[in-house]
Amino acid sequence: MAIHKIKFFTGRNSRYLAEKIVASYGTTLGDSEVLCFSDGEFQPRFNESIRGCTVFLIQSTFPPTDNLMELLMLADAAKRASAHQVIAVMPYFGWARQDRKDCPRVPIGAKLVANMLQAAGIDRVMTMDLHADQIQGFFDIPVDALYASGIFIPYLRSLNIPDLSIASPDMGGAKRANSYAKLLEAPIIISHKERAKANVVGSMTAIGDVEGRNIVIVDDMIDTAGTICMAANMLMDKGAKSVRAAITHPVLSGKAYERINESALQEVITTDTIPLNPEKDTHKFTVLSVADIFADVIERVHNYKPVSPVFFK
């Protein structure tokens, strides 16, 4: 089977991660630029031939709007430049929380994004820790949904935490927490929350043994950090020895950094799918890179090797 030449490109806000991924793969980024107009319109451009190439576009969609549009336009440009195949590497998939109609007269944003990516000419998507695994079914193209547990589990084992328990910050994350608990041979705790409104938690309680445990809360993202901080404080109030968090996507909007620094959280272990704000106090954060995982999967996909060995839940 013929293997086409591979080229990597990135959007503007994901260059920091794209450079790590291509370095891990053993190559460099292709030459591209974005022409910006005074009204906010922009035009991506490839400055080298990609005819007949397998093109990997590395772009996390944070904040989602401009970065998604840039990815769509890069894909369209690649197709029009006769690329053999266009693969979107989206470490953070924006709009993933909108995976269903949870109230009347609202969109299903994740499905809309899937439709737009396919309409733009994307042939395959690689992402990590989707908010809901069923989003893969919104696509009619292959989706490689990777798991950050592949880097979180070894790190947590290296800490040799005694009396370890794994916690979910809500009922929706119970499956993820259970996977971590099995791999770490630790008991599980489920936090039950009631939301007053979007991004605002009304009340919270814990299901499971908390007293005397060193607890790691696992989740796919931190946005305003309201839930995770409330859970950490609640668990400490119930007698936990310590509380850490292992969160894949550090969205960290609003006063999230301040809430984390004021909370009972001892450490927040996260990844570089989204960069931390360099102007904020990040002394509680430990950042693990996803570059090697994505580079490995890219190599396997490009050379028609099985991807299943990388899936570490």
Coordinates of all heavy atoms in Angstrom, one line a residue, residues 63-108:
P63 N -10.0 29.7 22.5 CA -11.4 29.8 22.7 C -12.1 29.3 21.4 O -11.5 29.5 20.3 CB -11.7 31.2 23.0 CG -10.6 32.0 22.4 CD -9.4 31.1 22.5
P64 N -13.2 28.7 21.4 CA -13.6 27.9 20.2 C -13.8 28.6 18.9 O -13.5 28.0 17.9 CB -14.9 27.2 20.7 CG -15.4 28.0 21.8 CD -14.2 28.6 22.5
T65 N -14.4 29.8 18.9 CA -14.9 30.3 17.6 C -13.8 30.5 16.5 O -13.9 29.9 15.5 CB -15.7 31.6 17.8 OG1 -16.6 31.4 18.9 CG2 -16.4 32.0 16.6
D66 N -12.9 31.4 16.8 CA -11.9 31.7 15.8 C -11.0 30.5 15.5 O -10.6 30.3 14.3 CB -11.0 32.9 16.3 CG -11.7 34.2 16.1 OD1 -12.8 34.3 15.5 OD2 -11.1 35.3 16.5
N67 N -10.7 29.7 16.4 CA -9.8 28.6 16.2 C -10.5 27.5 15.4 O -9.8 26.9 14.5 CB -9.3 28.0 17.5 CG -8.3 28.9 18.2 OD1 -7.3 29.3 17.6 ND2 -8.6 29.3 19.4
L68 N -11.8 27.3 15.6 CA -12.5 26.4 14.7 C -12.6 26.9 13.3 O -12.4 26.1 12.3 CB -13.9 26.2 15.3 CG -14.8 25.3 14.4 CD1 -14.3 23.9 14.2 CD2 -16.2 25.2 15.0
M69 N -12.9 28.2 13.1 CA -13.0 28.7 11.8 C -11.7 28.7 11.1 O -11.6 28.3 9.9 CB -13.5 30.2 11.9 CG -13.8 30.8 10.5 SD -15.3 30.0 9.8 CE -15.3 30.7 8.2
E70 N -10.6 28.9 11.8 CA -9.3 28.8 11.2 C -9.0 27.4 10.7 O -8.4 27.1 9.6 CB -8.2 29.3 12.2 CG -6.8 29.4 11.6 CD -5.8 30.0 12.5 OE1 -6.2 30.9 13.3 OE2 -4.7 29.6 12.6
L71 N -9.4 26.4 11.5 CA -9.2 25.0 11.2 C -10.0 24.6 10.0 O -9.5 23.9 9.0 CB -9.6 24.1 12.4 CG -9.6 22.6 12.1 CD1 -8.2 22.1 11.7 CD2 -10.0 21.8 13.4
L72 N -11.2 25.1 9.9 CA -12.1 24.8 8.8 C -11.5 25.4 7.5 O -11.5 24.7 6.4 CB -13.5 25.4 9.0 CG -14.3 24.7 10.1 CD1 -15.6 25.6 10.4 CD2 -14.7 23.3 9.8
M73 N -11.0 26.6 7.6 CA -10.4 27.2 6.4 C -9.1 26.6 5.9 O -8.8 26.5 4.7 CB -10.3 28.7 6.6 CG -11.6 29.4 6.8 SD -11.4 31.2 7.2 CE -11.0 31.8 5.5
L74 N -8.3 26.1 6.9 CA -7.1 25.4 6.6 C -7.5 24.1 5.8 O -6.8 23.7 4.9 CB -6.3 25.1 7.8 CG -5.5 26.2 8.4 CD1 -5.0 25.9 9.8 CD2 -4.2 26.5 7.5
A75 N -8.5 23.4 6.3 CA -8.9 22.2 5.7 C -9.4 22.4 4.3 O -9.1 21.7 3.3 CB -10.0 21.5 6.5
D76 N -10.2 23.5 4.1 CA -10.7 23.8 2.8 C -9.6 24.2 1.8 O -9.5 23.7 0.7 CB -11.7 25.0 2.9 CG -12.3 25.3 1.5 OD1 -13.2 24.6 1.1 OD2 -11.9 26.4 0.9
A77 N -8.6 24.9 2.3 CA -7.4 25.3 1.5 C -6.6 24.0 1.1 O -6.2 23.9 0.0 CB -6.5 26.3 2.3
A78 N -6.5 23.1 2.0 CA -5.7 21.9 1.8 C -6.4 21.0 0.7 O -5.8 20.5 -0.2 CB -5.5 21.1 3.0
K79 N -7.7 20.9 0.8 CA -8.5 20.1 -0.2 C -8.4 20.8 -1.6 O -8.2 20.1 -2.6 CB -9.9 20.0 0.2 CG -10.2 18.9 1.2 CD -9.9 17.6 0.6 CE -10.3 16.4 1.6 NZ -10.0 15.1 1.0
R80 N -8.5 22.1 -1.6 CA -8.4 22.8 -2.9 C -7.0 22.8 -3.5 O -6.8 23.1 -4.7 CB -8.9 24.3 -2.7 CG -10.4 24.3 -2.4 CD -10.8 25.8 -2.2 NE -12.2 25.8 -1.7 CZ -13.3 25.7 -2.4 NH1 -13.2 25.6 -3.7 NH2 -14.5 25.8 -1.9
A81 N -6.0 22.5 -2.6 CA -4.6 22.4 -3.1 C -4.2 21.0 -3.4 O -3.1 20.6 -3.5 CB -3.7 23.0 -2.0
S82 N -5.3 20.1 -3.5 CA -5.1 18.7 -3.9 C -4.3 17.8 -2.9 O -3.6 16.9 -3.3 CB -4.4 18.6 -5.3 OG -5.2 19.3 -6.3
A83 N -4.5 18.1 -1.6 CA -4.0 17.2 -0.6 C -4.6 15.8 -0.8 O -5.8 15.7 -1.1 CB -4.2 17.7 0.8
H84 N -3.9 14.8 -0.6 CA -4.4 13.4 -0.7 C -5.4 13.2 0.5 O -6.5 12.6 0.2 CB -3.3 12.4 -0.6 CG -3.8 11.0 -0.3 ND1 -4.5 10.3 -1.3 CD2 -3.7 10.2 0.8 CE1 -4.8 9.1 -0.8 NE2 -4.3 9.0 0.4
Q85 N -5.1 13.6 1.7 CA -5.9 13.4 2.8 C -5.7 14.5 3.8 O -4.5 14.9 4.0 CB -5.6 12.0 3.5 CG -6.6 11.5 4.5 CD -6.3 10.1 5.0 OE1 -5.1 9.8 5.2 NE2 -7.3 9.3 5.3
V86 N -6.8 14.9 4.5 CA -6.6 16.0 5.5 C -7.1 15.4 6.9 O -8.3 15.0 7.0 CB -7.5 17.2 5.1 CG1 -7.3 18.3 6.2 CG2 -7.0 17.7 3.8
I87 N -6.2 15.4 7.8 CA -6.6 14.9 9.2 C -6.5 16.0 10.2 O -5.4 16.7 10.3 CB -5.6 13.7 9.5 CG1 -5.7 12.6 8.5 CG2 -5.9 13.2 10.9 CD1 -4.8 11.5 8.7
A88 N -7.5 16.2 10.9 CA -7.6 17.2 12.0 C -7.1 16.6 13.3 O -7.7 15.7 13.8 CB -9.0 17.8 12.1
V89 N -6.1 17.2 13.9 CA -5.6 16.8 15.2 C -6.1 17.9 16.2 O -5.6 19.0 16.2 CB -4.1 16.7 15.2 CG1 -3.6 16.3 16.6 CG2 -3.6 15.7 14.2
M90 N -7.2 17.6 16.9 CA -7.8 18.5 17.8 C -7.7 18.0 19.2 O -8.6 17.4 19.8 CB -9.3 18.6 17.4 CG -9.5 19.0 16.0 SD -11.3 18.9 15.5 CE -12.0 20.3 16.5
P91 N -6.6 18.3 19.9 CA -6.4 17.8 21.3 C -7.6 18.2 22.2 O -8.0 17.4 23.0 CB -5.1 18.4 21.7 CG -4.3 18.6 20.4 CD -5.4 19.0 19.4
Y92 N -8.1 19.4 22.0 CA -9.3 19.9 22.8 C -10.4 20.1 21.7 O -10.2 20.9 20.8 CB -9.0 21.1 23.6 CG -10.2 21.7 24.2 CD1 -11.0 21.1 25.1 CD2 -10.7 23.0 23.8 CE1 -12.1 21.6 25.7 CE2 -11.9 23.5 24.3 CZ -12.6 22.8 25.3 OH -13.7 23.4 25.8
F93 N -11.5 19.4 21.9 CA -12.6 19.5 21.0 C -13.7 20.5 21.6 O -14.4 20.1 22.5 CB -13.2 18.1 20.7 CG -14.3 18.1 19.7 CD1 -14.0 17.8 18.3 CD2 -15.6 18.3 20.0 CE1 -15.0 17.7 17.4 CE2 -16.6 18.3 19.1 CZ -16.3 18.0 17.7
G94 N -13.7 21.7 21.1 CA -14.7 22.7 21.6 C -16.1 22.3 21.3 O -16.4 21.6 20.4
W95 N -17.0 22.8 22.1 CA -18.5 22.5 22.0 C -18.9 21.1 22.4 O -20.0 20.7 22.2 CB -19.0 22.8 20.6 CG -19.2 24.2 20.3 CD1 -20.3 25.0 20.7 CD2 -18.3 25.1 19.6 NE1 -20.1 26.3 20.2 CE2 -18.9 26.4 19.5 CE3 -17.1 24.9 18.9 CZ2 -18.3 27.5 18.9 CZ3 -16.5 26.0 18.3 CH2 -17.1 27.3 18.3
A96 N -17.9 20.3 22.9 CA -18.2 18.9 23.3 C -19.2 18.8 24.4 O -19.9 17.8 24.5 CB -16.9 18.2 23.7
R97 N -19.4 19.8 25.2 CA -20.5 19.8 26.2 C -21.9 19.8 25.7 O -22.8 19.5 26.3 CB -20.3 20.9 27.2 CG -19.1 20.7 28.2 CD -18.8 21.9 29.1 NE -18.2 23.0 28.3 CZ -17.7 24.1 28.9 NH1 -17.8 24.3 30.2 NH2 -17.1 25.0 28.1
Q98 N -22.0 20.3 24.4 CA -23.3 20.4 23.8 C -23.5 19.1 22.9 O -23.6 19.2 21.7 CB -23.4 21.6 22.9 CG -23.2 22.9 23.7 CD -23.4 24.2 22.8 OE1 -24.3 24.2 22.0 NE2 -22.5 25.1 23.0
D99 N -23.6 18.0 23.6 CA -23.8 16.7 22.9 C -25.2 16.2 22.9 O -25.4 15.1 22.3 CB -22.9 15.7 23.6 CG -23.3 15.4 25.1 OD1 -23.6 16.4 25.8 OD2 -23.3 14.3 25.5
R100 N -26.2 17.0 23.4 CA -27.6 16.6 23.4 C -28.4 17.8 23.6 O -27.9 18.9 24.0 CB -27.8 15.5 24.5 CG -27.6 16.1 25.9 CD -27.5 15.1 26.9 NE -27.5 15.6 28.3 CZ -26.4 16.3 28.8 NH1 -25.3 16.4 28.1 NH2 -26.5 16.7 30.0
K101 N -29.7 17.6 23.4 CA -30.7 18.7 23.7 C -31.1 18.5 25.2 O -31.9 17.6 25.5 CB -31.9 18.6 22.8 CG -31.7 19.1 21.4 CD -33.0 19.2 20.6 CE -33.9 20.4 21.2 NZ -35.0 20.6 20.4
D102 N -30.5 19.3 26.1 CA -30.8 19.1 27.5 C -31.9 20.1 28.0 O -32.3 20.0 29.1 CB -29.5 19.4 28.3 CG -28.9 20.7 28.0 OD1 -29.4 21.5 27.2 OD2 -27.8 21.0 28.7
C103 N -32.4 20.9 27.0 CA -33.6 21.7 27.3 C -34.2 22.0 25.9 O -33.5 21.9 24.9 CB -33.3 22.9 28.1 SG -32.2 24.1 27.4
P104 N -35.5 22.5 25.9 CA -36.1 22.8 24.6 C -35.4 23.9 23.8 O -34.8 24.8 24.4 CB -37.5 23.2 24.9 CG -37.7 22.6 26.3 CD -36.4 22.7 27.0
R105 N -35.4 23.8 22.5 CA -35.0 24.9 21.6 C -33.5 25.3 21.7 O -33.2 26.5 21.7 CB -35.9 26.1 21.7 CG -37.4 25.8 21.4 CD -38.3 27.0 21.7 NE -38.4 27.2 23.1 CZ -39.1 26.5 24.0 NH1 -39.9 25.5 23.6 NH2 -39.1 26.8 25.3
V106 N -32.7 24.3 21.9 CA -31.2 24.6 21.9 C -30.6 23.7 20.8 O -31.1 22.7 20.4 CB -30.6 24.2 23.3 CG1 -31.2 25.1 24.4 CG2 -30.8 22.8 23.6
P107 N -29.4 24.1 20.3 CA -28.7 23.3 19.3 C -27.9 22.2 19.9 O -27.7 22.1 21.2 CB -27.7 24.3 18.7 CG -27.4 25.2 19.9 CD -28.7 25.4 20.7
I108 N -27.5 21.2 19.1 CA -26.5 20.2 19.5 C -25.2 20.6 18.9 O -24.9 20.2 17.8 CB -27.0 18.8 19.1 CG1 -28.4 18.5 19.7 CG2 -26.0 17.8 19.6 CD1 -28.9 17.1 19.3

